[in-house]
Amino acid sequence: MSNLSLIDSTPGVRGGKPRFVGTRITVGDVLEYLASGMTTEQIVEEFPELTANHVRAAIEFAALRERRLASA
């Protein structure tokens, strides 16, 4: 099941970057936290407005973007 419905992009909010609905936390923020070594549990603890599904949505979003770039 896709979690992409948790992600939105709104011009004027965080520069139009993809972010989680109802927050100012961007997908890129979460991906950077993961890349730095934070676990899903640590991210959710640090940002209580997020759930593990939000973190999975960020990973899914990145995978889809990579797939699109690779096929372009």
Side-chain angles (χ1 to χ4, degrees):
M1 180 174 188
S2 176
N3 290 303
L4 292 178
S5 64
L6 298 172
I7 298 173
D8 191 17
S9 182
T10 305
V13 178
R14 294 294 307 261
K17 295 178 184 174
R19 63 179 175 79
F20 297 103
V21 175
T23 76
R24 294 184 53 80
I25 303 168
T26 68
V27 171
D29 292 337
V30 169
L31 293 173
E32 286 180 20
Y33 298 138
L34 288 168
S36 75
M38 286 180 77
T39 65
T40 296
E41 293 78 15
Q42 290 171 322
I43 293 169
V44 170
E45 185 176 312
E46 184 74 22
F47 302 95
E49 59 268 52
L50 300 182
T51 66
N53 283 339
H54 288 93
V55 177
R56 283 190 285 278
I59 296 167
E60 181 180 357
F61 184 90
L64 288 172
R65 179 178 282 179
E66 176 64 22
R67 189 174 306 135
R68 283 191 301 267
L69 289 174
S71 65

